[in-house]
Amino acid sequence: MGSELALLGGPKAVQSDPGDIFRWPIVTKEVEDAVLEVLRAGKMSGLDVTEEFEKEFAEWLGVKYALGHNTGTAALHSAMFGIGIGHGDEIICPSITYWASCLQVFSLGGTVVFADIDPDTLCIDPKDIEQRITPRTKAIMVVHYLGMPADMDAIMKIAEEHDLKVIEDVSHAHGALYKGRKVGTFGDAAGFSLMSGKSMPCGEGGIMTTNDKRIYERAIAFGHYARHNQLTLEDLKAGAGLPWGGYKYRMNQLTSAMCRIQLRYYPKLMEEIDRAMNYFWDLLEGVPGIRSHRPPKGSGTTKGGWYAPHGIYRSEELGGLSIHRFCEAVRAEGAPCTPGCNRALHLHPVFNTIDIYRQGKPTRIANSPPGVDVRQPPGSLPVSEGIQERVFSVPWFKHYRPEIIEEYAEAFRKVAENYEELLPGDVKKGGPLGGWGMTRMISHP
Ligand SMILES: *Cc1c(COP(=O)(O)O)cnc(C)c1O
């Protein structure tokens, strides 16, 4: 009898045309009209549309202030400045994230200390935060990674006990709930990416949110000189007219126009994505070697728009089958599957050896007191360093179409259940895993 597996000559699990189930972003006529209106009026650099969007976004999230930015990177940079990070300060950030969760801290004269992640949530491990705290620690950067809300109860408790600020990077988790409450509302400030690959895709853009007037106004002072007439705090008004950071972070109104439409339809879309993705994982419940990366049902915790969904891989349940071979076989079935995720930042030369500002030392330690070296060599964050072999991307369904989803789930089930046939040809190698950016890795053909 021949093999069932497509990689070994069997029929593919995925036979149907997926149609637009993966298409992203969804650009409707309404989006086109909104963008064209701004374009035709020549209002790309104005503020009126952006301010409308900010108001609507703040209301949707349930916070007082929202400030539009030209990227999520800029929004997080402003949040860092907003909470007062400056020379010699340290932030604690998970090593497994996109670089824009922390790299901007260098330009503020600060540095980053990485914490390990939890192998199941893939978010910062609260148990690893405390030992990273020093007298110089100013803030914890929380990333709700791949849509999964981080353990905010534990993190906020640590922050309170040590008098630390908290910034939430919500670039993967727009609309996700932690115990019934939207992520991005727990910390002192939050930053969201709105670039086209993310779950609220609006072009290139970002937004910073806070309930704190001083943080909000400091962010305006930092990168929004054209809005300095909105400053009310006297010490900030004294420096009005020029952006303190030397940055210009204004949002393009082609983006804010698109954002307004996206936001209006987002709750409904999110609900459909959530239903589709949970259906996919329900079909794979109990299959050996693979686990969903999602919150427990009934916990009130959700994944929002499920940006870049991944699964957890346990090769020990599949006779040691390598993740390369596993994904290769899934792809042969017709389903997208890439091993790995964002690479561990603490191992990159920019965080170890590069002297960006010619201070005569690696930038990572250039502003630390003499004798203090916060760099973290290989071996120091074991979960982060081993995670590439333990996660794989899964299809990101934007619509609930059970027949299609079933075929894709079958691709994963078939490979996992027939793993023994794959062991003989497993060379356990396939190049370095993961990448420094995620959006290209997860895009579907
Ligand atoms: C995408 C992303 C950002 C930055 O957003 P941009 O809009 O691309 O600048 C920040 N943090 C994380 C975790 C991201 O994935």
Side-chain angles (χ1 to χ4, degrees):
M1 202 183 84
S3 173
E4 259 194 70
L5 294 172
L7 186 67
L8 304 175
K12 286 184 175 198
V14 177
Q15 295 285 345
S16 302
D17 176 355
D20 64 354
I21 202 166
F22 299 123
R23 184 181 299 164
W24 202 250
I26 296 172
V27 179
T28 59
K29 175 80 168 51
E30 213 177 339
V31 169
E32 290 176 8
D33 289 346
V35 170
L36 273 175
E37 194 184 316
V38 170
L39 189 66
R40 289 186 175 137
K43 295 197 303 189
M44 288 75 81
S45 295
L47 284 171
D48 56 334
V49 184
T50 297
E51 286 177 345
E52 284 300 316
F53 170 59
E54 289 168 347
K55 232 186 292 165
E56 291 158 358
F57 192 89
E59 196 172 303
W60 168 75
L61 188 66
V63 294
K64 280 195 196 145
Y65 307 103
L67 187 61
H69 284 74
N70 54 359
T71 61
T73 303
L76 286 158
H77 197 191
S78 290
M80 291 175 196
F81 180 79
I83 64 158
I85 289 173
H87 186 87
D89 290 339
E90 294 170 4
I91 62 169
I92 297 173
C93 177
S95 182
I96 299 297
T97 181
Y98 184 65
W99 54 262
S101 301
C102 60
L103 194 45
Q104 308 91 312
V105 77
F106 285 169
S107 71
L108 299 172
T111 193
V112 55
V113 173
F114 292 105
D116 216 341
I117 57 164
D118 177 281
D120 297 316
T121 66
L122 307 179
C123 295
I124 194 166
D125 183 351
K127 293 190 298 299
D128 195 55
I129 293 176
E130 234 152 354
Q131 59 165 318
R132 311 281 171 196
I133 297 172
T134 74
R136 299 169 299 280
T137 308
K138 183 94 181 187
I140 303 170
M141 176 64 74
V142 177
V143 184
H144 304 293
Y145 191 63
L146 306 178
M148 183 73 118
D151 184 355
M152 292 314 295
D153 283 347
I155 293 165
M156 295 311 293
K157 187 162 169 279
I158 295 168
E160 266 157 47
E161 280 169 12
H162 297 268
D163 195 22
L164 303 176
K165 304 275 189 206
V166 172
I167 300 176
E168 294 176 80
D169 181 348
V170 198
S171 299
H172 293 186
H174 315 66
L177 303 175
Y178 175 78
K179 299 187 180 174
R181 174 173 159 192
K182 280 201 186 84
V183 297
T185 64
F186 290 85
D188 296 275
F192 299 69
S193 171
L194 302 166
M195 61 79 70
S196 298
K198 301 290 165 72
S199 36
M200 195 183 286
C202 309
E204 283 290 320
I207 195 157
M208 189 209 89
T209 58
T210 181
N211 282 313
D212 185 314
K213 186 180 199 150
R214 173 159 289 274
I215 294 174
Y216 173 65
E217 292 202 8
R218 278 178 62 84
I220 290 177
F222 189 61
H224 301 266
Y225 83 96
R227 297 171 75 157
H228 281 186
N229 60 344
Q230 297 171 1
L231 297 174
T232 65
L233 301 171
E234 291 305 328
D235 57 323
L236 299 178
K237 274 162 82 172
L242 298 179
W244 293 20
Y247 300 103
K248 188 181 153 200
Y249 280 167
R250 180 197 299 158
M251 188 176 227
N252 182 332
Q253 296 210 113
L254 298 175
T255 292
S256 38
M258 181 164 177
C259 280
R260 291 190 68 196
I261 312 294
Q262 298 295 61
L263 181 61
R264 202 170 302 157
Y265 293 99
Y266 190 63
K268 199 169 156 275
L269 184 60
M270 194 169 67
E271 206 180 291
E272 185 167 6
I273 293 173
D274 193 52
R275 190 166 172 221
M277 292 306 308
N278 275 315
Y279 184 62
F280 171 80
W281 280 118
D282 287 347
L283 292 169
L284 293 170
E285 207 56 59
V287 172
I290 59 181
R291 299 286 187 283
S292 63
H293 175 237
R294 59 175 170 172
K297 280 190 185 151
S299 58
T301 300
T302 65
K303 287 187 78 178
W306 284 75
Y307 172 71
H310 281 63
I312 309 287
Y313 187 64
R314 298 206 174 151
S315 88
E316 63 275 19
E317 295 175 10
L318 303 178
L321 183 72
S322 76
I323 196 163
H324 297 278
R325 183 82 167 150
F326 173 80
C327 282
E328 185 190 8
V330 172
R331 289 195 301 270
E333 299 294 339
C337 181
T338 308
C341 55
N342 289 102
R343 291 194 187 139
L345 292 172
H346 71 282
L347 301 179
H348 191 281
V350 160
F351 292 107
N352 287 283
T353 54
I354 307 293
D355 176 6
I356 302 167
Y357 299 113
R358 290 206 286 110
Q359 290 169 285
K361 297 184 220 182
T363 304
R364 179 91 178 275
I365 55 168
N367 298 317
S368 302
V372 171
D373 188 340
V374 297
R375 289 175 295 178
Q376 293 157 290
S380 52
L381 298 168
V383 181
S384 298
E385 289 170 38
I387 205 67
Q388 303 301 334
E389 319 277 338
R390 305 201 52 98
V391 296
F392 57 95
S393 69
V394 297
W396 185 13
F397 302 104
K398 314 304 190 309
H399 303 281
Y400 178 69
R401 293 183 191 138
E403 338 64 70
I404 302 279
I405 296 169
E406 283 157 19
E407 289 186 18
Y408 283 86
E410 175 61 12
F412 287 83
R413 191 200 59 77
K414 213 171 122 182
V415 169
E417 288 183 350
N418 293 288
Y419 73 91
E420 281 178 341
E421 294 181 35
L422 293 164
L423 292 172
D426 187 1
V427 297
K428 300 192 187 287
K429 275 222 160 54
L433 295 176
W436 302 113
M438 177 78 69
T439 303
R440 257 189 64 232
M441 285 163 52
I442 57 143
S443 59
H444 301 301

